[in-house]
Amino acid sequence: MEDKILETGVISKVAGPLVIAKGMRNVQMFDVVRVSEKKLIGEIIELRNDVASIQVYEETAGLGPGEPVYFTDQPLSLELGPGLIEGIYDGIGRPLDVIYNKFGERIPLGVDVPKLSREKLWEFTPCVKVGDKVSTGDVLGTVQETPVVLHKIMVPHKVSGEVVSIKNGSYHVHDEIVVIKDVSGKEISLNMIQNWPVRKGRPYLKKLAPKAPLITGQRVIDTFFPVARGGIAAIPGPFGSGKTVVQHQLAKWANADIIVYVGCGERGNEMTDVLQEFPELKDPKTGESLMKRTVLIANTSNMPVAAREASIYTGITIAEYYRDMGYNVAIMADSTSRWAEALREMSGRLEEMPGEEGYPAYLGSRLAEFYERAGLVECLGSDHSTGSITAIGAVSPPGGDTSEPVSQATLRIVKVFWGLSSQLAYRRHFPAIDWLKSYSLYDLSEYFETNLHKEWPNQVQKAMALLQEEARLDEIVRLVGVDSLDYRDRLTLDVARSIREDYLHQVAFHDVDTYTSLDKQFGMLKAILKWYDRGLVALSNNVNYNDIIVMEVLSKIGRMKYIEEQSFEKEIQEILEAIDLEYEKLEKESGE
C-alpha cells in the first residue's frame, strides 16, 4: 500500500488545463505525469512541498478531485531517430498520422503510441569497425531516411568507448546495432533511438559567428534584409498581411537541408495548406517532393492550449538533432504570439504576479531560451563538422501594434526584423515587408562580394537610398503636387516605383516568380539602376523627360521577373544593351 502511495498523487483541484495534485513529494520539476484513469499527459510546472501544479496537454473536461496522478519519473522527452522526416506530429511529439490510422479522426484521451515506427525496417550501413574508439557525437553508421536525407546514427550523449560489435543489415529502430565497451569494461548496447528531454538544449563543441546568408529566393529578403544561416529572424504583422505565406515560401525555397515547420496555435486550414502543398511541390535542388526533407509539428488553435508551449520545444529539439549530423536546418514557428498566449493562460491560472498586458514576467527569458538554441555550431564528434539552425518566428500582434510585449521581447533578441505592413497588403503588394521599417543586423556584404558580385553591396545601398528618397518626395507631392518637382526628382519617383513594382513585388503562386536566384536578382536590380543612371545623364543632356518615361525598354524591365532562370543571362544582356541603344537614340535626337 505504501508503495502505491509513493507512485501516485491525488487531484485536489482542476482549472482548465491546470490540475493541482497532492502527495507529489517524490516528483521533480518538468516531470511527466499521467493524470486520472484516462492517463492524460501532463507536465509539472510548479512544486510547493507535496503540492504540484500540472500543465495538462489534453482536454481535462470530466476530471475531478480525488482521481489519481501516476508518476513516470521522466521529463517530457522525444524519441529521435530514423522516421522523423515526412512525419506530422502534435505539440508533444505524437505522430498524428499513426493515431489517425489507428483510431480515426478524433484523438482519444491519453493515447500513447510510439513516436517512431517499430514496424519499419531501415538499412543500416556501419561507418566504424570493431576495435575503433568512439565518443559522443561520432557517427556509427548511416541510414537512407528519405531519397534526400542521409540519417547519421550517432553515439549518444555521455557514451564513449571501444566498439565491440557492429553489424550492417536491415533493422527496426529498437534493434541492437552496436555494442560499445566503456572505460570501466561495461558493455553498452545501442539501437537507432536517442531519447532527449525537449526543454534541454543538445550540447555542441562551440558556437561560431554566422558568415553566409540563408538564401530564400525572396527578393526583398535576400537583397535588403538577409538572414544569416544560423541566424534568428522575426516576422511581425497584423492579420492578413501574409506572415504565413512568407513562412511557407521560406520553407519551400530556403537553401536549408532540413525544414522543421511548427504550426503553433494557428488555424487548422493553414496547416492543411502545408500538408496539401508540400508533398506536391518539387524541391528545386533535388527534384523530389519537398516533404522528403520536412518535419511538421501541428498544434492548431482548436487543439489544447497548453500543448502550444511544448510544440516550440519539440520543434527545436528535432532541429538540434539534425544539426548535430552536420545539416543546415531552418525552423519556422507560426506563431510565437499564440505560444505566448498559452504562457499567459497558465500563468493566470497559477495566480502569478502578471507582467505587462497580463503576460508572465518571464516571457522575455522564455522567448530567449527558444531563440538561443539556434545558431551555427561546431558539432560534437571527431570529424568536427558544422551544422546550423536558423530560427524564423512569426509574431501576430493585435492590430499590427508592435509595441505590445511579445513583439518587443522578440525584437530584443532577434537580429532580423521583417515588419509586415497592412497598407502594403491592402495594395496587394506581397511580400508586404515594409522596407522602411525592417532591418537586418547581419553584415553579409563580404559573402555577396565574393560569391555574387563586388558591385552588389553598392547596388543594394543605392536602391534603398532611392526608396527612402521616394518616401521624402511623397510628402512634398501630397502637399503641393507632382508638378512642383523638378525632372530629376520625378525620375527618382519613377525608378523607386520600378524597384517597388518590378523588383520587390513577387508573386508566390507564379511558377517562375515564386523563386529568384541571386544571379537573377543582381541582373534585375542592375537593369533598373542602369536605366535610372542613364536617365540622369540624359536629362542633363536636355533629353525630354516625357520621352524617357515612355521608352520601349521599360516594358521589358517590368517583365524581367517572369524570365525563366535558364534563359535569364541571355535576355538580361539584351535588356542592358537596349537601354544603351534607346538612350543613345534619344540623346542623338535631342542634339539634333
mmCIF file of all heavy atoms in Angstrom, residues 220-263:
data_model
loop_
_atom_site.group_PDB
_atom_site.id
_atom_site.type_symbol
_atom_site.label_atom_id
_atom_site.label_comp_id
_atom_site.label_asym_id
_atom_site.label_seq_id
_atom_site.Cartn_x
_atom_site.Cartn_y
_atom_site.Cartn_z
ATOM 1 N N VAL A 220 12.993 40.751 -51.735
ATOM 2 C CA VAL A 220 13.047 41.788 -50.699
ATOM 3 C C VAL A 220 13.901 41.320 -49.520
ATOM 4 O O VAL A 220 14.603 42.115 -48.882
ATOM 5 C CB VAL A 220 11.623 42.197 -50.231
ATOM 6 C CG1 VAL A 220 10.889 41.049 -49.566
ATOM 7 C CG2 VAL A 220 11.692 43.405 -49.295
ATOM 8 N N ILE A 221 13.888 40.012 -49.238
ATOM 9 C CA ILE A 221 14.675 39.472 -48.113
ATOM 10 C C ILE A 221 16.152 39.371 -48.492
ATOM 11 O O ILE A 221 17.027 39.902 -47.807
ATOM 12 C CB ILE A 221 14.113 38.098 -47.671
ATOM 13 C CG1 ILE A 221 12.731 38.279 -47.022
ATOM 14 C CG2 ILE A 221 15.070 37.405 -46.699
ATOM 15 C CD1 ILE A 221 12.013 36.991 -46.705
ATOM 16 N N ASP A 222 16.445 38.678 -49.597
ATOM 17 C CA ASP A 222 17.847 38.447 -49.969
ATOM 18 C C ASP A 222 18.580 39.747 -50.283
ATOM 19 O O ASP A 222 19.777 39.869 -50.046
ATOM 20 C CB ASP A 222 17.930 37.507 -51.183
ATOM 21 C CG ASP A 222 17.509 36.085 -50.842
ATOM 22 O OD1 ASP A 222 17.464 35.771 -49.643
ATOM 23 O OD2 ASP A 222 17.222 35.306 -51.762
ATOM 24 N N THR A 223 17.866 40.729 -50.838
ATOM 25 C CA THR A 223 18.513 41.981 -51.238
ATOM 26 C C THR A 223 18.711 42.923 -50.057
ATOM 27 O O THR A 223 19.822 43.370 -49.795
ATOM 28 C CB THR A 223 17.670 42.695 -52.318
ATOM 29 O OG1 THR A 223 17.498 41.810 -53.422
ATOM 30 C CG2 THR A 223 18.355 43.953 -52.803
ATOM 31 N N PHE A 224 17.639 43.213 -49.341
ATOM 32 C CA PHE A 224 17.708 44.259 -48.319
ATOM 33 C C PHE A 224 17.883 43.738 -46.894
ATOM 34 O O PHE A 224 18.559 44.358 -46.086
ATOM 35 C CB PHE A 224 16.447 45.130 -48.373
ATOM 36 C CG PHE A 224 16.355 45.977 -49.606
ATOM 37 C CD1 PHE A 224 15.166 46.075 -50.313
ATOM 38 C CD2 PHE A 224 17.449 46.680 -50.067
ATOM 39 C CE1 PHE A 224 15.073 46.860 -51.450
ATOM 40 C CE2 PHE A 224 17.371 47.469 -51.199
ATOM 41 C CZ PHE A 224 16.179 47.560 -51.905
ATOM 42 N N PHE A 225 17.245 42.616 -46.569
ATOM 43 C CA PHE A 225 17.231 42.163 -45.164
ATOM 44 C C PHE A 225 17.589 40.683 -45.054
ATOM 45 O O PHE A 225 16.787 39.872 -44.589
ATOM 46 C CB PHE A 225 15.856 42.420 -44.535
ATOM 47 C CG PHE A 225 15.290 43.773 -44.873
ATOM 48 C CD1 PHE A 225 14.193 43.913 -45.714
ATOM 49 C CD2 PHE A 225 15.894 44.918 -44.373
ATOM 50 C CE1 PHE A 225 13.696 45.161 -46.041
ATOM 51 C CE2 PHE A 225 15.396 46.176 -44.696
ATOM 52 C CZ PHE A 225 14.296 46.300 -45.524
ATOM 53 N N PRO A 226 18.812 40.297 -45.475
ATOM 54 C CA PRO A 226 19.153 38.871 -45.441
ATOM 55 C C PRO A 226 19.328 38.367 -44.012
ATOM 56 O O PRO A 226 19.761 39.112 -43.132
ATOM 57 C CB PRO A 226 20.486 38.810 -46.203
ATOM 58 C CG PRO A 226 21.075 40.180 -46.040
ATOM 59 C CD PRO A 226 19.921 41.133 -45.969
ATOM 60 N N VAL A 227 18.970 37.103 -43.813
ATOM 61 C CA VAL A 227 19.219 36.461 -42.519
ATOM 62 C C VAL A 227 20.386 35.499 -42.711
ATOM 63 O O VAL A 227 20.487 34.828 -43.738
ATOM 64 C CB VAL A 227 17.952 35.719 -42.006
ATOM 65 C CG1 VAL A 227 17.490 34.629 -42.954
ATOM 66 C CG2 VAL A 227 18.199 35.132 -40.613
ATOM 67 N N ALA A 228 21.294 35.481 -41.744
ATOM 68 C CA ALA A 228 22.446 34.582 -41.841
ATOM 69 C C ALA A 228 21.999 33.152 -41.592
ATOM 70 O O ALA A 228 21.018 32.901 -40.892
ATOM 71 C CB ALA A 228 23.505 34.988 -40.823
ATOM 72 N N ARG A 229 22.728 32.215 -42.192
ATOM 73 C CA ARG A 229 22.455 30.801 -41.916
ATOM 74 C C ARG A 229 22.954 30.522 -40.495
ATOM 75 O O ARG A 229 24.134 30.654 -40.203
ATOM 76 C CB ARG A 229 23.219 29.949 -42.921
ATOM 77 C CG ARG A 229 22.761 28.522 -42.962
ATOM 78 C CD ARG A 229 23.669 27.729 -43.861
ATOM 79 N NE ARG A 229 23.130 27.635 -45.206
ATOM 80 C CZ ARG A 229 23.767 27.022 -46.198
ATOM 81 N NH1 ARG A 229 24.963 26.512 -45.995
ATOM 82 N NH2 ARG A 229 23.224 26.948 -47.388
ATOM 83 N N GLY A 230 22.029 30.175 -39.619
ATOM 84 C CA GLY A 230 22.348 30.081 -38.195
ATOM 85 C C GLY A 230 21.908 31.321 -37.442
ATOM 86 O O GLY A 230 22.226 31.506 -36.276
ATOM 87 N N GLY A 231 21.144 32.183 -38.118
ATOM 88 C CA GLY A 231 20.663 33.422 -37.503
ATOM 89 C C GLY A 231 19.237 33.278 -37.000
ATOM 90 O O GLY A 231 18.625 32.208 -37.078
ATOM 91 N N ILE A 232 18.701 34.379 -36.464
ATOM 92 C CA ILE A 232 17.321 34.383 -35.964
ATOM 93 C C ILE A 232 16.592 35.597 -36.530
ATOM 94 O O ILE A 232 17.161 36.681 -36.627
ATOM 95 C CB ILE A 232 17.252 34.361 -34.419
ATOM 96 C CG1 ILE A 232 18.192 35.412 -33.805
ATOM 97 C CG2 ILE A 232 17.593 32.999 -33.875
ATOM 98 C CD1 ILE A 232 18.166 35.461 -32.297
ATOM 99 N N ALA A 233 15.343 35.386 -36.922
ATOM 100 C CA ALA A 233 14.550 36.455 -37.549
ATOM 101 C C ALA A 233 13.129 36.403 -37.026
ATOM 102 O O ALA A 233 12.640 35.346 -36.615
ATOM 103 C CB ALA A 233 14.558 36.293 -39.071
ATOM 104 N N ALA A 234 12.470 37.569 -37.051
ATOM 105 C CA ALA A 234 11.068 37.652 -36.637
ATOM 106 C C ALA A 234 10.257 38.285 -37.754
ATOM 107 O O ALA A 234 10.736 39.179 -38.448
ATOM 108 C CB ALA A 234 10.933 38.481 -35.369
ATOM 109 N N ILE A 235 9.019 37.794 -37.925
ATOM 110 C CA ILE A 235 8.095 38.379 -38.916
ATOM 111 C C ILE A 235 6.845 38.837 -38.176
ATOM 112 O O ILE A 235 5.885 38.086 -38.056
ATOM 113 C CB ILE A 235 7.680 37.343 -39.997
ATOM 114 C CG1 ILE A 235 8.860 36.500 -40.456
ATOM 115 C CG2 ILE A 235 7.022 38.037 -41.181
ATOM 116 C CD1 ILE A 235 8.465 35.427 -41.460
ATOM 117 N N PRO A 236 6.836 40.080 -37.665
ATOM 118 C CA PRO A 236 5.612 40.572 -37.046
ATOM 119 C C PRO A 236 4.700 41.198 -38.101
ATOM 120 O O PRO A 236 5.177 41.774 -39.076
ATOM 121 C CB PRO A 236 6.097 41.640 -36.067
ATOM 122 C CG PRO A 236 7.581 41.744 -36.258
ATOM 123 C CD PRO A 236 7.922 41.027 -37.518
ATOM 124 N N GLY A 237 3.419 41.066 -37.907
ATOM 125 C CA GLY A 237 2.493 41.694 -38.842
ATOM 126 C C GLY A 237 1.062 41.447 -38.438
ATOM 127 O O GLY A 237 0.754 40.448 -37.779
ATOM 128 N N PRO A 238 0.159 42.337 -38.828
ATOM 129 C CA PRO A 238 -1.256 42.164 -38.480
ATOM 130 C C PRO A 238 -1.895 41.025 -39.263
ATOM 131 O O PRO A 238 -1.317 40.497 -40.213
ATOM 132 C CB PRO A 238 -1.872 43.513 -38.869
ATOM 133 C CG PRO A 238 -0.979 44.045 -39.937
ATOM 134 C CD PRO A 238 0.396 43.545 -39.613
ATOM 135 N N PHE A 239 -3.108 40.682 -38.881
ATOM 136 C CA PHE A 239 -3.866 39.634 -39.555
ATOM 137 C C PHE A 239 -4.028 39.973 -41.046
ATOM 138 O O PHE A 239 -4.332 41.101 -41.404
ATOM 139 C CB PHE A 239 -5.245 39.511 -38.889
ATOM 140 C CG PHE A 239 -6.147 38.521 -39.564
ATOM 141 C CD1 PHE A 239 -6.018 37.165 -39.332
ATOM 142 C CD2 PHE A 239 -7.130 38.947 -40.451
ATOM 143 C CE1 PHE A 239 -6.850 36.255 -39.955
ATOM 144 C CE2 PHE A 239 -7.965 38.049 -41.083
ATOM 145 C CZ PHE A 239 -7.822 36.692 -40.832
ATOM 146 N N GLY A 240 -3.767 39.003 -41.902
ATOM 147 C CA GLY A 240 -3.983 39.198 -43.338
ATOM 148 C C GLY A 240 -2.837 39.844 -44.082
ATOM 149 O O GLY A 240 -2.945 40.142 -45.269
ATOM 150 N N SER A 241 -1.702 40.064 -43.389
ATOM 151 C CA SER A 241 -0.582 40.743 -44.068
ATOM 152 C C SER A 241 0.386 39.756 -44.724
ATOM 153 O O SER A 241 1.353 40.175 -45.354
ATOM 154 C CB SER A 241 0.163 41.651 -43.096
ATOM 155 O OG SER A 241 0.655 40.907 -42.004
ATOM 156 N N GLY A 242 0.151 38.465 -44.556
ATOM 157 C CA GLY A 242 0.934 37.479 -45.302
ATOM 158 C C GLY A 242 2.070 36.825 -44.544
ATOM 159 O O GLY A 242 3.018 36.337 -45.145
ATOM 160 N N LYS A 243 1.988 36.777 -43.187
ATOM 161 C CA LYS A 243 3.046 36.124 -42.395
ATOM 162 C C LYS A 243 3.191 34.667 -42.785
ATOM 163 O O LYS A 243 4.294 34.174 -43.026
ATOM 164 C CB LYS A 243 2.705 36.184 -40.897
ATOM 165 C CG LYS A 243 2.784 37.525 -40.280
ATOM 166 C CD LYS A 243 2.539 37.462 -38.790
ATOM 167 C CE LYS A 243 1.169 36.938 -38.441
ATOM 168 N NZ LYS A 243 0.068 37.804 -38.865
ATOM 169 N N THR A 244 2.058 33.961 -42.832
ATOM 170 C CA THR A 244 2.103 32.521 -43.094
ATOM 171 C C THR A 244 2.617 32.222 -44.494
ATOM 172 O O THR A 244 3.406 31.293 -44.687
ATOM 173 C CB THR A 244 0.701 31.911 -42.873
ATOM 174 O OG1 THR A 244 0.286 32.182 -41.529
ATOM 175 C CG2 THR A 244 0.722 30.411 -43.080
ATOM 176 N N VAL A 245 2.203 33.045 -45.476
ATOM 177 C CA VAL A 245 2.675 32.816 -46.852
ATOM 178 C C VAL A 245 4.186 33.031 -46.934
ATOM 179 O O VAL A 245 4.897 32.264 -47.585
ATOM 180 C CB VAL A 245 1.933 33.730 -47.860
ATOM 181 C CG1 VAL A 245 2.540 33.609 -49.254
ATOM 182 C CG2 VAL A 245 0.457 33.372 -47.915
ATOM 183 N N VAL A 246 4.708 34.058 -46.223
ATOM 184 C CA VAL A 246 6.156 34.288 -46.208
ATOM 185 C C VAL A 246 6.868 33.075 -45.612
ATOM 186 O O VAL A 246 7.863 32.588 -46.159
ATOM 187 C CB VAL A 246 6.521 35.573 -45.419
ATOM 188 C CG1 VAL A 246 8.023 35.667 -45.192
ATOM 189 C CG2 VAL A 246 6.037 36.807 -46.169
ATOM 190 N N GLN A 247 6.329 32.546 -44.499
ATOM 191 C CA GLN A 247 6.970 31.378 -43.879
ATOM 192 C C GLN A 247 6.875 30.148 -44.782
ATOM 193 O O GLN A 247 7.820 29.368 -44.866
ATOM 194 C CB GLN A 247 6.335 31.087 -42.516
ATOM 195 C CG GLN A 247 6.770 32.089 -41.467
ATOM 196 C CD GLN A 247 6.704 31.533 -40.065
ATOM 197 O OE1 GLN A 247 5.722 30.912 -39.688
ATOM 198 N NE2 GLN A 247 7.728 31.756 -39.289
ATOM 199 N N HIS A 248 5.738 29.986 -45.470
ATOM 200 C CA HIS A 248 5.623 28.871 -46.424
ATOM 201 C C HIS A 248 6.671 29.018 -47.524
ATOM 202 O O HIS A 248 7.300 28.035 -47.930
ATOM 203 C CB HIS A 248 4.227 28.847 -47.055
ATOM 204 C CG HIS A 248 3.159 28.340 -46.120
ATOM 205 N ND1 HIS A 248 1.919 27.954 -46.547
ATOM 206 C CD2 HIS A 248 3.153 28.161 -44.787
ATOM 207 C CE1 HIS A 248 1.192 27.561 -45.506
ATOM 208 N NE2 HIS A 248 1.926 27.679 -44.430
ATOM 209 N N GLN A 249 6.859 30.246 -48.017
ATOM 210 C CA GLN A 249 7.842 30.494 -49.076
ATOM 211 C C GLN A 249 9.252 30.160 -48.600
ATOM 212 O O GLN A 249 10.049 29.556 -49.326
ATOM 213 C CB GLN A 249 7.783 31.954 -49.530
ATOM 214 C CG GLN A 249 6.589 32.288 -50.410
ATOM 215 C CD GLN A 249 6.636 31.549 -51.745
ATOM 216 O OE1 GLN A 249 6.067 30.475 -51.894
ATOM 217 N NE2 GLN A 249 7.334 32.111 -52.713
ATOM 218 N N LEU A 250 9.559 30.550 -47.369
ATOM 219 C CA LEU A 250 10.886 30.253 -46.821
ATOM 220 C C LEU A 250 11.074 28.751 -46.654
ATOM 221 O O LEU A 250 12.138 28.207 -46.952
ATOM 222 C CB LEU A 250 11.071 30.958 -45.473
ATOM 223 C CG LEU A 250 11.023 32.495 -45.501
ATOM 224 C CD1 LEU A 250 11.150 33.053 -44.096
ATOM 225 C CD2 LEU A 250 12.109 33.058 -46.379
ATOM 226 N N ALA A 251 10.022 28.080 -46.186
ATOM 227 C CA ALA A 251 10.108 26.621 -46.025
ATOM 228 C C ALA A 251 10.299 25.935 -47.368
ATOM 229 O O ALA A 251 11.021 24.936 -47.479
ATOM 230 C CB ALA A 251 8.845 26.103 -45.337
ATOM 231 N N LYS A 252 9.665 26.469 -48.413
ATOM 232 C CA LYS A 252 9.754 25.841 -49.735
ATOM 233 C C LYS A 252 11.112 26.069 -50.384
ATOM 234 O O LYS A 252 11.678 25.174 -50.997
ATOM 235 C CB LYS A 252 8.674 26.422 -50.669
ATOM 236 C CG LYS A 252 7.262 26.004 -50.355
ATOM 237 C CD LYS A 252 6.296 26.810 -51.237
ATOM 238 C CE LYS A 252 4.866 26.700 -50.748
ATOM 239 N NZ LYS A 252 3.965 27.596 -51.475
ATOM 240 N N TRP A 253 11.644 27.305 -50.290
ATOM 241 C CA TRP A 253 12.757 27.694 -51.156
ATOM 242 C C TRP A 253 14.080 27.964 -50.467
ATOM 243 O O TRP A 253 15.103 28.066 -51.145
ATOM 244 C CB TRP A 253 12.353 28.938 -51.967
ATOM 245 C CG TRP A 253 11.105 28.740 -52.756
ATOM 246 C CD1 TRP A 253 9.909 29.370 -52.559
ATOM 247 C CD2 TRP A 253 10.887 27.826 -53.843
ATOM 248 N NE1 TRP A 253 8.979 28.912 -53.455
ATOM 249 C CE2 TRP A 253 9.550 27.963 -54.260
ATOM 250 C CE3 TRP A 253 11.693 26.901 -54.509
ATOM 251 C CZ2 TRP A 253 8.998 27.232 -55.295
ATOM 252 C CZ3 TRP A 253 11.154 26.162 -55.547
ATOM 253 C CH2 TRP A 253 9.819 26.330 -55.934
ATOM 254 N N ALA A 254 14.094 28.135 -49.144
ATOM 255 C CA ALA A 254 15.361 28.458 -48.472
ATOM 256 C C ALA A 254 16.370 27.332 -48.664
ATOM 257 O O ALA A 254 15.995 26.158 -48.700
ATOM 258 C CB ALA A 254 15.107 28.691 -46.981
ATOM 259 N N ASN A 255 17.650 27.696 -48.766
ATOM 260 C CA ASN A 255 18.671 26.672 -49.034
ATOM 261 C C ASN A 255 19.103 25.963 -47.749
ATOM 262 O O ASN A 255 20.282 25.890 -47.408
ATOM 263 C CB ASN A 255 19.881 27.277 -49.765
ATOM 264 C CG ASN A 255 20.625 28.287 -48.907
ATOM 265 O OD1 ASN A 255 20.072 28.872 -47.989
ATOM 266 N ND2 ASN A 255 21.900 28.488 -49.201
ATOM 267 N N ALA A 256 18.117 25.447 -47.016
ATOM 268 C CA ALA A 256 18.377 24.628 -45.831
ATOM 269 C C ALA A 256 18.240 23.159 -46.219
ATOM 270 O O ALA A 256 17.501 22.822 -47.140
ATOM 271 C CB ALA A 256 17.383 24.990 -44.726
ATOM 272 N N ASP A 257 18.968 22.284 -45.497
ATOM 273 C CA ASP A 257 18.896 20.849 -45.790
ATOM 274 C C ASP A 257 17.614 20.233 -45.234
ATOM 275 O O ASP A 257 17.025 19.346 -45.826
ATOM 276 C CB ASP A 257 20.109 20.121 -45.187
ATOM 277 C CG ASP A 257 21.422 20.684 -45.702
ATOM 278 O OD1 ASP A 257 21.530 20.861 -46.925
ATOM 279 O OD2 ASP A 257 22.318 20.963 -44.891
ATOM 280 N N ILE A 258 17.206 20.710 -44.049
ATOM 281 C CA ILE A 258 16.032 20.170 -43.350
ATOM 282 C C ILE A 258 15.137 21.335 -42.938
ATOM 283 O O ILE A 258 15.634 22.373 -42.494
ATOM 284 C CB ILE A 258 16.432 19.397 -42.065
ATOM 285 C CG1 ILE A 258 17.553 18.390 -42.338
ATOM 286 C CG2 ILE A 258 15.217 18.728 -41.411
ATOM 287 C CD1 ILE A 258 17.153 17.113 -42.996
ATOM 288 N N ILE A 259 13.824 21.161 -43.067
ATOM 289 C CA ILE A 259 12.859 22.172 -42.619
ATOM 290 C C ILE A 259 12.026 21.576 -41.478
ATOM 291 O O ILE A 259 11.485 20.471 -41.607
ATOM 292 C CB ILE A 259 11.903 22.583 -43.764
ATOM 293 C CG1 ILE A 259 12.677 23.164 -44.959
ATOM 294 C CG2 ILE A 259 10.852 23.565 -43.256
ATOM 295 C CD1 ILE A 259 13.355 24.480 -44.702
ATOM 296 N N VAL A 260 11.947 22.303 -40.371
ATOM 297 C CA VAL A 260 11.023 21.932 -39.286
ATOM 298 C C VAL A 260 9.985 23.047 -39.212
ATOM 299 O O VAL A 260 10.329 24.198 -38.930
ATOM 300 C CB VAL A 260 11.757 21.776 -37.941
ATOM 301 C CG1 VAL A 260 10.768 21.389 -36.842
ATOM 302 C CG2 VAL A 260 12.861 20.743 -38.042
ATOM 303 N N TYR A 261 8.721 22.712 -39.487
ATOM 304 C CA TYR A 261 7.659 23.722 -39.517
ATOM 305 C C TYR A 261 6.739 23.480 -38.317
ATOM 306 O O TYR A 261 6.106 22.429 -38.220
ATOM 307 C CB TYR A 261 6.862 23.624 -40.827
ATOM 308 C CG TYR A 261 5.967 24.817 -41.060
ATOM 309 C CD1 TYR A 261 6.383 25.883 -41.857
ATOM 310 C CD2 TYR A 261 4.711 24.902 -40.460
ATOM 311 C CE1 TYR A 261 5.572 26.993 -42.055
ATOM 312 C CE2 TYR A 261 3.896 26.005 -40.648
ATOM 313 C CZ TYR A 261 4.335 27.042 -41.447
ATOM 314 O OH TYR A 261 3.536 28.145 -41.625
ATOM 315 N N VAL A 262 6.690 24.454 -37.409
ATOM 316 C CA VAL A 262 5.864 24.327 -36.196
ATOM 317 C C VAL A 262 4.642 25.222 -36.343
ATOM 318 O O VAL A 262 4.756 26.448 -36.356
ATOM 319 C CB VAL A 262 6.666 24.732 -34.938
ATOM 320 C CG1 VAL A 262 5.826 24.499 -33.685
ATOM 321 C CG2 VAL A 262 7.972 23.972 -34.851
ATOM 322 N N GLY A 263 3.468 24.615 -36.495
ATOM 323 C CA GLY A 263 2.208 25.365 -36.507
ATOM 324 C C GLY A 263 1.725 25.467 -35.080
ATOM 325 O O GLY A 263 1.167 24.514 -34.538
#
